[in-house]
Amino acid sequence: MTVTAMRLDDALQALVDARLDTIDRMLMGHLPRRDRLAIVQDVEGQIDEMLDGLGTEGVTREALMSILARLDPPEAYIPEPEGREMVVPPRRVSMPADLGVDRRAPATGLARPAKASGIVGLISLVGGALGTVLGYVLALMTGSMVLFYLGCFGSLGAMLCGGTVAITLAACFRRGGEWATVGLVTGILAVVSSLMTVAMVFTGVIPV
């Protein structure tokens, strides 16, 4: 009779038996019966040793549950498919490099917003520049200051706003791939170009 059987009442012994039976069931189909019994007996021996450390006083349910919690979980005894080695509980592992996963690929759900930032940046830069030049040329041809302010400054304002939107989207969705980089670069160029053009108009570098 084991130390466990001599010291525990029926209710507490049932808890120990349940743990040992669980280990035996989880090993069934993985190990032959002789090996399963050896592992179960080893675990039972661990329980006996920890119960010895409690002294001669009666074992309480709380003390037994604390002992059982310190043991390895039942699934930790399942052997690896290749051999009979004991495995540790599952742990988080990194993605193997040979699975063909492209770590540079855009993160899921970020590709569309990133593409939008690139498109907005391109439209703001190219469209704003063309609109400003066209407005300036038409204003010179007609001599209309109203056309100048509406054409040039309207295009520059749209260029500034579009560039700001492109930069914001690119910053928020920077993991969306190459389009995010396009949006960031064109957005910055659009903002800088619009501000520099306005400054050159007011300083007289560009004659009105």
CSV table of all heavy atoms in Angstrom, one decimal, residues 124-161:
chain,number,residue,atom,x,y,z
A,124,SER,N,-3.3,64.3,-55.9
A,124,SER,CA,-3.0,65.6,-55.3
A,124,SER,C,-1.8,66.2,-55.9
A,124,SER,O,-1.8,67.4,-56.2
A,124,SER,CB,-2.8,65.4,-53.8
A,124,SER,OG,-4.0,64.9,-53.2
A,125,LEU,N,-0.7,65.5,-56.1
A,125,LEU,CA,0.5,66.0,-56.6
A,125,LEU,C,0.4,66.4,-58.1
A,125,LEU,O,0.6,67.6,-58.5
A,125,LEU,CB,1.7,65.0,-56.4
A,125,LEU,CG,3.0,65.5,-56.9
A,125,LEU,CD1,3.5,66.7,-56.2
A,125,LEU,CD2,4.1,64.4,-56.7
A,126,VAL,N,0.0,65.4,-58.9
A,126,VAL,CA,-0.1,65.7,-60.3
A,126,VAL,C,-1.3,66.6,-60.7
A,126,VAL,O,-1.1,67.6,-61.4
A,126,VAL,CB,-0.2,64.3,-61.1
A,126,VAL,CG1,-0.4,64.6,-62.6
A,126,VAL,CG2,1.0,63.4,-60.8
A,127,GLY,N,-2.4,66.3,-60.1
A,127,GLY,CA,-3.6,67.1,-60.4
A,127,GLY,C,-3.5,68.5,-59.9
A,127,GLY,O,-3.8,69.5,-60.6
A,128,GLY,N,-2.9,68.7,-58.7
A,128,GLY,CA,-2.8,70.0,-58.2
A,128,GLY,C,-1.8,70.8,-59.0
A,128,GLY,O,-2.0,72.0,-59.2
A,129,ALA,N,-0.7,70.2,-59.4
A,129,ALA,CA,0.3,70.9,-60.2
A,129,ALA,C,-0.2,71.4,-61.5
A,129,ALA,O,-0.1,72.5,-62.0
A,129,ALA,CB,1.6,70.0,-60.4
A,130,LEU,N,-0.9,70.5,-62.2
A,130,LEU,CA,-1.5,70.8,-63.5
A,130,LEU,C,-2.6,71.9,-63.4
A,130,LEU,O,-2.7,72.8,-64.2
A,130,LEU,CB,-2.1,69.5,-64.1
A,130,LEU,CG,-1.1,68.5,-64.6
A,130,LEU,CD1,-1.9,67.3,-65.1
A,130,LEU,CD2,-0.2,69.0,-65.7
A,131,GLY,N,-3.4,71.8,-62.3
A,131,GLY,CA,-4.5,72.8,-62.1
A,131,GLY,C,-3.9,74.1,-61.8
A,131,GLY,O,-4.4,75.2,-62.3
A,132,THR,N,-2.8,74.2,-61.1
A,132,THR,CA,-2.2,75.5,-60.7
A,132,THR,C,-1.6,76.1,-62.0
A,132,THR,O,-1.7,77.3,-62.2
A,132,THR,CB,-1.1,75.2,-59.7
A,132,THR,OG1,-1.6,74.7,-58.5
A,132,THR,CG2,-0.4,76.6,-59.3
A,133,VAL,N,-0.9,75.3,-62.8
A,133,VAL,CA,-0.2,75.8,-64.0
A,133,VAL,C,-1.3,76.3,-65.0
A,133,VAL,O,-1.2,77.4,-65.6
A,133,VAL,CB,0.7,74.8,-64.6
A,133,VAL,CG1,1.1,75.2,-66.0
A,133,VAL,CG2,1.8,74.5,-63.7
A,134,LEU,N,-2.4,75.5,-65.1
A,134,LEU,CA,-3.4,75.9,-66.1
A,134,LEU,C,-4.2,77.1,-65.6
A,134,LEU,O,-4.4,78.0,-66.4
A,134,LEU,CB,-4.4,74.7,-66.2
A,134,LEU,CG,-5.6,74.9,-67.2
A,134,LEU,CD1,-5.0,75.1,-68.6
A,134,LEU,CD2,-6.5,73.7,-67.1
A,135,GLY,N,-4.4,77.2,-64.3
A,135,GLY,CA,-5.1,78.4,-63.8
A,135,GLY,C,-4.2,79.7,-64.0
A,135,GLY,O,-4.7,80.7,-64.3
A,136,TYR,N,-2.9,79.5,-63.8
A,136,TYR,CA,-2.0,80.6,-63.9
A,136,TYR,C,-1.9,81.1,-65.4
A,136,TYR,O,-2.0,82.3,-65.7
A,136,TYR,CB,-0.6,80.3,-63.4
A,136,TYR,CG,0.4,81.4,-63.5
A,136,TYR,CD1,0.3,82.4,-62.6
A,136,TYR,CD2,1.4,81.4,-64.5
A,136,TYR,CE1,1.3,83.4,-62.6
A,136,TYR,CE2,2.3,82.4,-64.5
A,136,TYR,CZ,2.3,83.4,-63.5
A,136,TYR,OH,3.2,84.4,-63.6
A,137,VAL,N,-1.8,80.1,-66.3
A,137,VAL,CA,-1.8,80.5,-67.7
A,137,VAL,C,-3.1,81.2,-68.2
A,137,VAL,O,-3.1,82.2,-68.9
A,137,VAL,CB,-1.5,79.2,-68.6
A,137,VAL,CG1,-1.6,79.5,-70.1
A,137,VAL,CG2,-0.1,78.7,-68.3
A,138,LEU,N,-4.2,80.6,-67.8
A,138,LEU,CA,-5.5,81.2,-68.2
A,138,LEU,C,-5.7,82.6,-67.6
A,138,LEU,O,-6.2,83.5,-68.3
A,138,LEU,CB,-6.6,80.3,-67.7
A,138,LEU,CG,-6.8,79.0,-68.5
A,138,LEU,CD1,-7.9,78.2,-67.9
A,138,LEU,CD2,-7.0,79.2,-70.0
A,139,ALA,N,-5.2,82.8,-66.4
A,139,ALA,CA,-5.2,84.1,-65.7
A,139,ALA,C,-4.4,85.1,-66.5
A,139,ALA,O,-4.8,86.3,-66.7
A,139,ALA,CB,-4.8,84.0,-64.3
A,140,LEU,N,-3.2,84.7,-67.0
A,140,LEU,CA,-2.4,85.6,-67.7
A,140,LEU,C,-3.0,86.0,-69.1
A,140,LEU,O,-2.9,87.1,-69.6
A,140,LEU,CB,-1.0,85.0,-67.9
A,140,LEU,CG,-0.1,84.9,-66.7
A,140,LEU,CD1,1.2,84.2,-67.1
A,140,LEU,CD2,0.2,86.3,-66.1
A,141,MET,N,-3.6,85.0,-69.7
A,141,MET,CA,-4.2,85.2,-71.0
A,141,MET,C,-5.5,86.1,-70.9
A,141,MET,O,-5.7,86.9,-71.8
A,141,MET,CB,-4.6,83.9,-71.6
A,141,MET,CG,-3.4,83.0,-72.0
A,141,MET,SD,-3.9,81.3,-72.6
A,141,MET,CE,-4.8,81.8,-74.0
A,142,THR,N,-6.2,86.0,-69.9
A,142,THR,CA,-7.4,86.8,-69.8
A,142,THR,C,-7.3,88.0,-68.9
A,142,THR,O,-8.1,88.9,-68.9
A,142,THR,CB,-8.6,85.9,-69.1
A,142,THR,OG1,-8.1,85.5,-67.8
A,142,THR,CG2,-8.8,84.7,-70.0
A,143,GLY,N,-6.2,88.1,-68.1
A,143,GLY,CA,-6.0,89.2,-67.3
A,143,GLY,C,-7.0,89.2,-66.1
A,143,GLY,O,-7.2,90.3,-65.5
A,144,SER,N,-7.6,88.1,-65.8
A,144,SER,CA,-8.6,88.0,-64.7
A,144,SER,C,-7.9,87.6,-63.4
A,144,SER,O,-7.4,86.4,-63.3
A,144,SER,CB,-9.7,87.1,-65.1
A,144,SER,OG,-10.6,86.9,-64.0
A,145,MET,N,-7.9,88.4,-62.4
A,145,MET,CA,-7.4,88.1,-61.1
A,145,MET,C,-8.3,87.0,-60.4
A,145,MET,O,-7.9,86.2,-59.6
A,145,MET,CB,-7.3,89.3,-60.2
A,145,MET,CG,-6.2,90.2,-60.7
A,145,MET,SD,-4.5,89.4,-60.7
A,145,MET,CE,-4.3,89.1,-59.0
A,146,VAL,N,-9.6,87.1,-60.7
A,146,VAL,CA,-10.6,86.2,-60.1
A,146,VAL,C,-10.2,84.8,-60.6
A,146,VAL,O,-10.2,83.8,-59.8
A,146,VAL,CB,-12.0,86.6,-60.5
A,146,VAL,CG1,-13.0,85.5,-60.0
A,146,VAL,CG2,-12.4,87.9,-60.0
A,147,LEU,N,-10.0,84.6,-61.9
A,147,LEU,CA,-9.6,83.3,-62.4
A,147,LEU,C,-8.3,82.9,-61.8
A,147,LEU,O,-8.1,81.7,-61.6
A,147,LEU,CB,-9.5,83.4,-63.9
A,147,LEU,CG,-9.2,82.1,-64.7
A,147,LEU,CD1,-10.3,81.1,-64.4
A,147,LEU,CD2,-9.1,82.4,-66.2
A,148,PHE,N,-7.4,83.8,-61.6
A,148,PHE,CA,-6.1,83.5,-61.0
A,148,PHE,C,-6.3,82.9,-59.6
A,148,PHE,O,-5.7,81.8,-59.3
A,148,PHE,CB,-5.2,84.7,-60.9
A,148,PHE,CG,-3.9,84.4,-60.2
A,148,PHE,CD1,-2.8,83.8,-60.8
A,148,PHE,CD2,-3.7,84.9,-58.9
A,148,PHE,CE1,-1.6,83.5,-60.1
A,148,PHE,CE2,-2.6,84.6,-58.2
A,148,PHE,CZ,-1.5,84.0,-58.8
A,149,TYR,N,-7.0,83.6,-58.8
A,149,TYR,CA,-7.2,83.1,-57.4
A,149,TYR,C,-8.0,81.8,-57.3
A,149,TYR,O,-7.7,80.9,-56.6
A,149,TYR,CB,-7.9,84.2,-56.6
A,149,TYR,CG,-7.0,85.3,-56.2
A,149,TYR,CD1,-7.2,86.6,-56.7
A,149,TYR,CD2,-5.9,85.2,-55.3
A,149,TYR,CE1,-6.3,87.7,-56.4
A,149,TYR,CE2,-5.1,86.2,-55.0
A,149,TYR,CZ,-5.3,87.5,-55.5
A,149,TYR,OH,-4.4,88.5,-55.2
A,150,LEU,N,-9.1,81.7,-58.2
A,150,LEU,CA,-9.9,80.5,-58.2
A,150,LEU,C,-9.1,79.3,-58.7
A,150,LEU,O,-9.1,78.2,-58.1
A,150,LEU,CB,-11.1,80.7,-59.0
A,150,LEU,CG,-12.2,81.6,-58.4
A,150,LEU,CD1,-13.4,81.8,-59.4
A,150,LEU,CD2,-12.7,81.1,-57.0
A,151,GLY,N,-8.4,79.6,-59.8
A,151,GLY,CA,-7.6,78.5,-60.5
A,151,GLY,C,-6.4,78.0,-59.7
A,151,GLY,O,-6.2,76.9,-59.3
A,152,CYS,N,-5.6,79.0,-59.4
A,152,CYS,CA,-4.3,78.7,-58.8
A,152,CYS,C,-4.4,78.3,-57.3
A,152,CYS,O,-4.0,77.2,-56.9
A,152,CYS,CB,-3.3,79.9,-58.9
A,152,CYS,SG,-2.8,80.2,-60.6
A,153,PHE,N,-5.1,79.2,-56.5
A,153,PHE,CA,-5.2,79.0,-55.1
A,153,PHE,C,-6.2,77.8,-54.8
A,153,PHE,O,-6.0,77.1,-53.8
A,153,PHE,CB,-5.5,80.2,-54.4
A,153,PHE,CG,-4.4,81.2,-54.3
A,153,PHE,CD1,-4.3,82.3,-55.2
A,153,PHE,CD2,-3.4,81.0,-53.3
A,153,PHE,CE1,-3.3,83.2,-55.1
A,153,PHE,CE2,-2.3,81.9,-53.3
A,153,PHE,CZ,-2.3,83.0,-54.1
A,154,GLY,N,-7.2,77.7,-55.7
A,154,GLY,CA,-8.1,76.5,-55.5
A,154,GLY,C,-7.3,75.2,-55.7
A,154,GLY,O,-7.5,74.3,-54.9
A,155,SER,N,-6.5,75.2,-56.7
A,155,SER,CA,-5.7,73.9,-57.0
A,155,SER,C,-4.7,73.7,-55.9
A,155,SER,O,-4.4,72.6,-55.5
A,155,SER,CB,-5.0,74.0,-58.3
A,155,SER,OG,-6.0,74.2,-59.4
A,156,LEU,N,-4.0,74.8,-55.4
A,156,LEU,CA,-3.0,74.7,-54.4
A,156,LEU,C,-3.7,74.2,-53.1
A,156,LEU,O,-3.1,73.4,-52.3
A,156,LEU,CB,-2.3,76.0,-54.2
A,156,LEU,CG,-1.4,76.4,-55.3
A,156,LEU,CD1,-0.8,77.8,-55.0
A,156,LEU,CD2,-0.2,75.4,-55.5
A,157,GLY,N,-4.9,74.7,-52.8
A,157,GLY,CA,-5.6,74.3,-51.6
A,157,GLY,C,-6.0,72.8,-51.6
A,157,GLY,O,-5.8,72.1,-50.6
A,158,ALA,N,-6.5,72.4,-52.8
A,158,ALA,CA,-6.8,71.0,-53.0
A,158,ALA,C,-5.5,70.1,-52.9
A,158,ALA,O,-5.6,69.0,-52.3
A,158,ALA,CB,-7.5,70.8,-54.3
A,159,MET,N,-4.5,70.6,-53.4
A,159,MET,CA,-3.2,69.9,-53.4
A,159,MET,C,-2.7,69.7,-51.9
A,159,MET,O,-2.2,68.7,-51.5
A,159,MET,CB,-2.2,70.7,-54.2
A,159,MET,CG,-0.9,70.0,-54.5
A,159,MET,SD,0.2,71.1,-55.5
A,159,MET,CE,1.6,70.0,-55.8
A,160,LEU,N,-2.8,70.8,-51.1
A,160,LEU,CA,-2.4,70.7,-49.7
A,160,LEU,C,-3.3,69.8,-48.9
A,160,LEU,O,-2.8,68.9,-48.2
A,160,LEU,CB,-2.5,72.1,-49.1
A,160,LEU,CG,-2.2,72.3,-47.6
A,160,LEU,CD1,-0.8,71.8,-47.4
A,160,LEU,CD2,-2.4,73.7,-47.1
A,161,CYS,N,-4.6,69.8,-49.1
A,161,CYS,CA,-5.5,69.0,-48.4
A,161,CYS,C,-5.3,67.5,-48.8
A,161,CYS,O,-5.3,66.6,-48.0
A,161,CYS,CB,-7.0,69.4,-48.6
A,161,CYS,SG,-7.4,71.0,-47.9
